[in-house]
């Protein structure tokens, strides 16, 4: 089997990433390192270099070469063409302001796109338009390796899925589904905060031609406080800062294991 460790270079690694790494490398299968730098506005080369340095210092070994999503535009265009050939892709010119207004009037847990542009026939090559994929009603069933049987209806959760934004950036949902399929990833290990993404990524991959979905395992998170997970701005848990304070790799892993087995679990 093959899994992946897929950090985004929008900040330094922190203890939450190490928890994910412990699950990923603890699975005992091959590990692909995928740098998810599809967001050109937020990703920085210094963070990319920092990720590699921290992983080397922590002792995590992965397959070479390192894969960067910023170098895979042709792959994503090809995948989008597959969806376009099925008549599933349409242009959307909805602004952030309109989407924010829709969120204010919605009682859903996450914002569900209301299909405003679905039948407007806007050109995909128009200025400042995003690309969306039609998500028709239907339930996706899967068994999470840690959480058990799951059912999700992407149409009810998020509506038609944005795969490329108005600035030309590919979205996480799309590139994750495409790369897991094209790179032969058959085990996806990630935090429980991404559980809701699973059904829509299974749907996307099937539309792209994937016959068998990967196995998914969604693990608990290390929390900063009740209801708030760690972020890349939390310097007290950043690996770079802990190294500067004299921590050893084993101390970092011990801190993660401690967070796994203490009251932090009650906050997840």
């Amino acid at each position: 089997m093959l899994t992946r460790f897929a950090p985004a270079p929008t900040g330094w690694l922190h203890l939450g990433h190490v928890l994910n790494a412990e699950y990923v490398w603890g699975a005992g299968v091959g590990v692909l390192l995928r740098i998810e730098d599809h967001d050109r506005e937020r990703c920085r080369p210094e963070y990319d270099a920092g990720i590699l340095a921290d992983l080397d210092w922590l002792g995590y070994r992965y397959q070479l070469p390192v894969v960067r999503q910023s170098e895979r535009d042709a792959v994503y265009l090809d995948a989008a063409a597959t969806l376009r050939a099925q008549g599933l892709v349409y242009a959307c010119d909805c602004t952030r302001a309109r989407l924010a207004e829709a969120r204010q009037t919605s009682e859903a847990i996450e914002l569900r796109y209301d299909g405003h542009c679905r039948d407007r026939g806007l050109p995909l090559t128009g200025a400042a338009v995003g690309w969306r994929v039609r998500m028709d009603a239907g339930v996706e069933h899967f068994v999470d390796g840690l959480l058990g049987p799951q059912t999700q209806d992407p149409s009810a959760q998020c509506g038609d899925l944005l795969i490329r934004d108005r600035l030309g950036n590919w979205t996480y949902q799309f590139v994750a589904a495409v790369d897991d399929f094209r790179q032969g990833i058959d085990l996806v290990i990630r935090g429980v905060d991404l559980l809701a993404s699973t059904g829509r990524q299974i749907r996307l991959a099937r539309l792209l031609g994937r016959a068998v979905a990967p196995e998914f395992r969604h693990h608990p998170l290390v929390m900063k406080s009740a209801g708030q997970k760690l972020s890349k701005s939390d310097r007290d848990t950043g690996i770079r800062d802990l190294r500067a304070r004299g921590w050893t790799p084993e101390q970092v892993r011990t801190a993660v294991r401690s967070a796994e087995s203490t009251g932090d679990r009650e906050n997840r």
Side-chain angles (χ1 to χ4, degrees):
M1 297 183 73
L2 181 67
T3 188
R4 79 294 199 275
F5 185 69
T10 56
W12 310 110
L13 290 188
H14 57 63
L15 290 180
H17 293 107
V18 177
L19 174 60
N20 179 242
E22 287 291 287
Y23 275 96
V24 167
W25 272 272
V29 302
V31 178
L32 175 78
L33 177 59
R34 187 167 76 210
I35 304 297
E36 298 200 332
D37 56 351
H38 55 274
D39 187 336
R40 293 172 295 181
E41 278 68 48
R42 298 175 58 223
C43 293
R44 299 287 183 269
E46 59 267 29
Y47 295 144
D48 187 317
I51 287 170
L52 299 183
D54 285 342
L55 290 176
D56 181 66
W57 178 75
L58 288 163
Y60 296 121
R61 300 292 177 256
Y62 44 84
Q63 295 184 3
L64 294 174
V66 176
V67 177
R68 290 178 173 81
Q69 291 180 332
S70 60
E71 301 170 353
R72 293 174 59 78
D73 191 61
V75 174
Y76 306 137
L77 284 170
D78 180 70
T82 298
L83 299 176
R84 290 176 65 178
Q86 300 173 61
L88 297 173
V89 180
Y90 65 88
C92 173
D93 67 358
C94 290
T95 63
R96 290 182 180 273
R98 185 189 177 278
L99 295 176
E101 181 180 352
R103 178 182 292 276
Q104 292 174 359
T105 60
S106 173
E107 297 180 357
I109 296 176
E110 64 175 306
L111 174 63
R112 180 186 182 278
Y113 182 66
D114 60 6
H116 176 74
C117 293
R118 188 182 242 221
D119 298 314
R120 293 177 64 199
L122 299 173
L124 288 170
T125 56
V129 295
W131 295 358
R132 289 189 182 273
V133 172
R134 298 172 184 266
M135 289 279 122
D136 293 329
V139 174
E140 300 295 336
H141 300 270
F142 62 97
V143 178
D144 188 280
L146 297 175
L147 302 176
Q150 306 288 320
T151 58
Q152 296 178 359
D153 182 348
S155 176
Q157 287 176 296
C158 62
D160 293 343
L161 197 63
L162 187 70
I163 64 170
R164 189 177 184 180
D165 69 18
R166 289 157 51 90
L167 299 176
N169 294 310
W170 300 104
T171 67
Y172 163 74
Q173 302 291 348
F174 184 62
V175 294
V178 171
D179 283 345
D180 286 342
F181 178 25
R182 297 288 183 93
Q183 294 168 349
I185 303 299
D186 43 27
L187 175 59
V188 175
I189 304 173
R190 57 192 183 188
V192 71
D193 56 326
L194 291 171
L195 177 63
S197 297
T198 306
R200 64 201 69 168
Q201 291 178 7
I202 290 174
R203 174 81 58 85
L204 274 175
R206 187 169 63 252
L207 293 172
L208 290 169
R210 183 164 194 165
V212 179
E215 176 187 344
F216 288 89
R217 299 178 191 174
H218 290 87
H219 59 74
L221 306 176
V222 176
M223 304 296 287
K224 181 178 180 180
S225 63
Q228 183 181 10
K229 68 176 183 178
L230 292 181
S231 73
K232 291 171 182 175
S233 62
D234 294 319
R235 293 180 60 85
D236 55 334
T237 62
I239 306 307
R240 177 185 176 92
D241 298 291
L242 295 176
R243 289 175 62 183
R245 287 159 51 187
W247 283 45
T248 66
E250 184 55 35
Q251 284 178 308
V252 171
R253 285 188 285 270
T254 298
V256 166
R257 297 188 197 107
S258 177
E260 267 283 291
S261 60
T262 62
D264 280 347
R265 180 181 296 274
E266 300 174 2
N267 296 328
R268 295 174 188 147

